[in-house]
Structure formats: C-alpha cells, structure tokens
C-alpha cells in the first residue's frame, strides 16, 4: 500500500510540475521573447506552442484528478487533512479555468490566426496570458494549502 501511495504522489507532483512549469515558461520566457517578433510571426508561433502545450495539459489534468482522488479516498474524506480538501477545491477551479481557456480564448486565437486577424489574435493571447496568471496563482495557493495545512 505504501508503494502505491508513493507512486500516486510521484505521478501527482510530476503532472503538476509539467502544467505549472509550462505556464511559467509561457508567461515569463516565451511571451516576453516573442514580443520582439512582428504579429504575423509572433501570433502563429504562440498558437502552435499553446496547441502543443495544451495537448500535454489535458493528460496532466486527468492524472492530477485521478491520483489526487486515489490518495484522498485512500485516506478517507474525514481523515484527510484540511489542505488536501483545499487542494481539491482549488484544483477543480484550475481545471475549470483551463477548460475556459481552451474552449474560449484559445479556440478564438486559432480562428484569428487562420484568418490573419492579428489584432484579434493579439487580444486572445493577452486574454490567455491573464488567465494563465490566474492558473499559476491558484497552483501556488494549492501547493501552499497542501503544504501548510497538514
């Protein structure tokens, strides 16, 4: 049983690192560097990078949810630390925000890039960046919750 919990924790933390690390990379490295490019180069690049990254995020979300629930239910809802419950709630909110990003602004970004509507595409990248900041802040809050409220 201990070995299973260790694997669940490893997979859970690994998925969180991929997701939050990718968000950090996009916000603090890719986006600022890409601003040096003109919109017809920058915005298709951002759309392609986000498409590839989001294909990683979907399995990470599934893994986070599955491993988190296995660990939570393994301990029992009543016996689980408060931080675990907070992490679950914050995680579900993060999943919802990502779903909104993917099916809303990202879908519209791809359509704007396909139509070479650079002002619209630029607005969508800005919107995605703001929501990515929210996801990153929520991720930090979830980590704090599970770390501080044992």
């Amino acid at each position: 049983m201990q070995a299973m919990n260790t694997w669940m924790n490893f997979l859970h933390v690994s998925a969180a690192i991929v997701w939050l690390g990718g968000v950090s990379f996009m916000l603090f490295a890719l986006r600022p560097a890409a601003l040096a490019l003109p919109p017809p180069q920058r915005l298709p690049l951002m759309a392609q990078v986000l498409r590839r990254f989001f294909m990683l995020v979907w399995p990470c979300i599934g893994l986070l949810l599955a491993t988190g629930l296995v660990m939570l239910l393994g301990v029992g809802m009543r016996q689980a630390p408060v931080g675990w419950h907070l992490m679950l709630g914050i995680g579900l909110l993060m999943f919802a925000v990502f779903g909104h990003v993917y099916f809303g602004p990202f879908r519209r970004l791809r359509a704007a890039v396909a139509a070479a509507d650079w002002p619209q595409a630029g607005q969508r990248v800005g919107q995605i960046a703001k929501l990515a900041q929210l996801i990153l802040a929520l991720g930090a809050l979830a980590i704090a919750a599970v770390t501080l409220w044992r």
Side-chain angles (χ1 to χ4, degrees), residues 121-142:
Q123 284 182 328
R124 297 308 163 204
V125 168
Q127 188 179 15
I128 291 167
K130 284 185 176 105
L131 291 167
Q133 290 170 349
L134 175 60
I135 288 170
L136 194 58
L138 288 170
L141 189 59

Side-chain angles (χ1 to χ4, degrees), residues 7-96:
W7 276 105
M8 290 295 114
N9 192 45
F10 170 75
L11 293 171
H12 194 80
V13 170
S14 296
I17 288 169
V18 169
W19 188 9
L20 296 176
V23 171
S24 297
F25 170 77
M26 185 208 56
L27 289 173
F28 304 117
L30 175 64
R31 189 166 184 253
L35 287 173
L37 299 172
Q41 292 174 338
R42 176 179 70 244
L43 297 165
L45 171 69
M46 293 298 293
Q48 279 301 310
V49 169
L50 290 171
R51 182 187 66 78
R52 290 169 183 260
F53 174 58
F54 290 168
M55 290 303 106
L56 291 173
V57 173
W58 283 114
C60 286
I61 286 174
L63 199 54
L64 284 163
L65 188 57
T67 57
L69 286 174
V70 165
M71 290 186 290
L72 187 61
L73 296 174
V75 170
M77 293 295 281
R78 288 184 183 208
Q79 287 75 30
V82 171
W84 290 23
H85 291 279
L86 290 170
M87 180 180 256
L88 175 61
I90 295 166
L92 292 174
L93 181 58
M94 290 171 68
F95 302 159

